[in-house]
Amino acid sequence: EVVKEGRPVMIWATINMANVSYTQSWLLETGETFWWPNNEHALVIVGYDDKWIYMNDPYSGKEKKFLRTVVNNR
């Protein structure tokens, strides 16, 4: 609804919508191991349609489009 009103929304996803991988971890004070998701990346949603979500990508400096299904999975 916010994007529909013309206001951009920042999201966390992955660089180029790549699959998340977990290669770095550390032990928390609770004894639990925390795995850091690689390739995390912030993007700004500026529009959408039935198939695509349009984003400003600060990593590339360009507007990109990604399939809605892919974005939802990231």
Side-chain angles (χ1 to χ4, degrees):
E1 289 301 313
V2 174
V3 175
K4 190 184 223 180
E5 294 170 1
R7 297 182 307 180
V9 173
M10 190 203 85
I11 65 164
W12 281 103
T14 56
I15 296 171
N16 294 319
M17 293 297 150
N19 287 323
V20 176
S21 63
Y22 297 90
T23 58
Q24 298 176 331
S25 68
W26 59 87
L27 191 61
L28 302 175
E29 291 178 3
T30 63
E32 179 184 3
T33 301
F34 176 81
W35 287 91
W36 184 263
N38 288 333
N39 297 322
E40 279 194 314
H41 181 47
L43 300 112
V44 180
I45 299 175
V46 295
Y48 64 92
D49 59 32
D50 291 340
K51 187 174 181 179
W52 302 98
I53 297 181
Y54 302 90
M55 301 185 195
N56 289 338
D57 182 1
Y59 187 73
S60 68
K62 298 179 181 178
E63 183 174 295
K64 293 185 174 182
K65 68 179 184 179
F66 298 99
L67 289 170
R68 289 178 75 136
T69 54
V70 173
V71 174
N72 289 336
N73 285 325
R74 301 302 180 264

